[in-house]
Amino acid sequence: MADHTESLVMDEFMKSCRAHGLKVTPQRLAIYKMLQGSSEHPSADAVYRRIHEQYPSISFDTVNRTLLTFVDMGVIDTVESHQGVRRYDTDTSTHHHLHCVKCGKIVDFYDAGLNAIEIPASVSKGFTILGKRVIISGICPECTSKMQSQEGH
Amino acid sequence: MADHTESLVMDEFMKSCRAHGLKVTPQRLAIYKMLQGSSEHPSADAVYRRIHEQYPSISFDTVNRTLLTFVDMGVIDTVESHQGVRRYDTDTSTHHHLHCVKCGKIVDFYDAGLNAIEIPASVSKGFTILGKRVIISGICPECTSKMQSQEGH
DNA sequence: GTTACTGCAAAGGCTTTGCAGTCTG
DNA sequence: CAGACTGCAAAGCCTTTGCAGTAAC
């Protein structure tokens, strides 16, 4: 059944490519497949390194350009951040982020209440809203405990 | 009175420098003063170009490093974005952002209700929360009307 | 057979690092 | 005066662009 579900997902992806006038290539299939189920928010380089293990002939450029293409297609998003390399979000549904200011880790979280946030009409006037997200910045548990263990400075 | 208020602000800034063990230099004063009242979210280059007009001997590097120093001091923040050059936010109080995905413009907005957002304890567990922000992405009025005027494609 | 995609290479843009001279406290 | 800051230059990353060969349709 896992295989069945997986092939359905890939079928959908191939349809989406054709709908956008894009060709279905082995590289695109491999990258898309790899992104399924990756919940960390990888950079182009991270995707490249992982996919390169099982597909050594693929180039970084193809991975990089494919990710940008996927963003255009709407199958992934770019993550907002306080700078650094571009990172991608494989979950295009509405959700929220915790940003660790120490290690840069980004954790997804889901909350129906936050999804329902209302923007005051006065601020959204004339602005076409496409998405809403709550960003919590702070220090993740790992970094917090690291800091406590070096507390005496 | 404007002068009085202004010098108070500068006094506070100089105190803050000393509190952080930093020296008060003409460059830092000039940059800080320029940032007061700039509500667009400028890049290092934008700050440099503006300040260079009235302070031609200042270098880009100094501006760039000073802005990073100010972030460490906590007098400004970096803006979260979906890539591009680093931009700064001169307002360190809690507020929210509208991001135009077309032109990259970022508009501040204030809403007490949104400031009071509650994060589910299950997600914030172990995470030290430093700040919360709602990011609305969409298309600003200017870009919306541009798109409508070229509607016929 | 066309048209688009891949891989390689180079260029570009922003940020970071190193250092000598200069200035603040 | 000592330590820090500035300005200049170079190095580093990541991202973008250009092109010839190759693959999808």
Side-chain angles (χ1 to χ4, degrees), chain B residues 22-97:
Chain B
L22 299 169
K23 296 189 170 170
V24 176
T25 67
Q27 290 89 341
R28 284 182 179 155
L29 290 171
I31 294 168
Y32 184 78
K33 194 169 175 181
M34 203 228 76
L35 291 177
Q36 295 306 112
S38 81
S39 61
E40 345 98 66
H41 302 79
S43 62
D45 186 60
V47 174
Y48 169 67
R49 275 177 298 163
R50 206 169 331 155
I51 205 151
H52 186 257
E53 293 172 10
Q54 48 193 63
Y55 196 151
S57 64
I58 205 168
S59 74
F60 172 80
D61 295 77
T62 296
V63 173
N64 194 37
R65 267 182 296 205
T66 299
L67 292 170
L68 294 172
T69 302
F70 284 1
V71 172
D72 284 340
M73 291 171 66
V75 302
I76 59 175
D77 286 323
T78 56
V79 176
E80 74 294 329
S81 74
H82 292 260
Q83 281 306 118
V85 303
R86 173 161 18 208
R87 292 167 66 179
Y88 297 92
D89 197 334
T90 55
D91 182 353
T92 56
S93 65
T94 298
H95 65 280
H96 309 285
H97 282 165

Side-chain angles (χ1 to χ4, degrees), chain A residues 22-23 25 27-28 57-59 61-62 65:
Chain A
L22 299 169
K23 295 186 174 175
T25 67
Q27 290 90 341
R28 286 182 179 155
S57 64
I58 204 169
S59 74
D61 296 77
T62 296
R65 268 182 297 204

Side-chain angles (χ1 to χ4, degrees), chain B residues 135-150:
Chain B
I135 313 282
I136 308 297
S137 54
I139 304 170
C140 71
E142 291 72 32
C143 290
T144 301
S145 53
K146 269 184 210 157
M147 290 168 72
Q148 285 170 344
S149 61
Q150 6 177 283

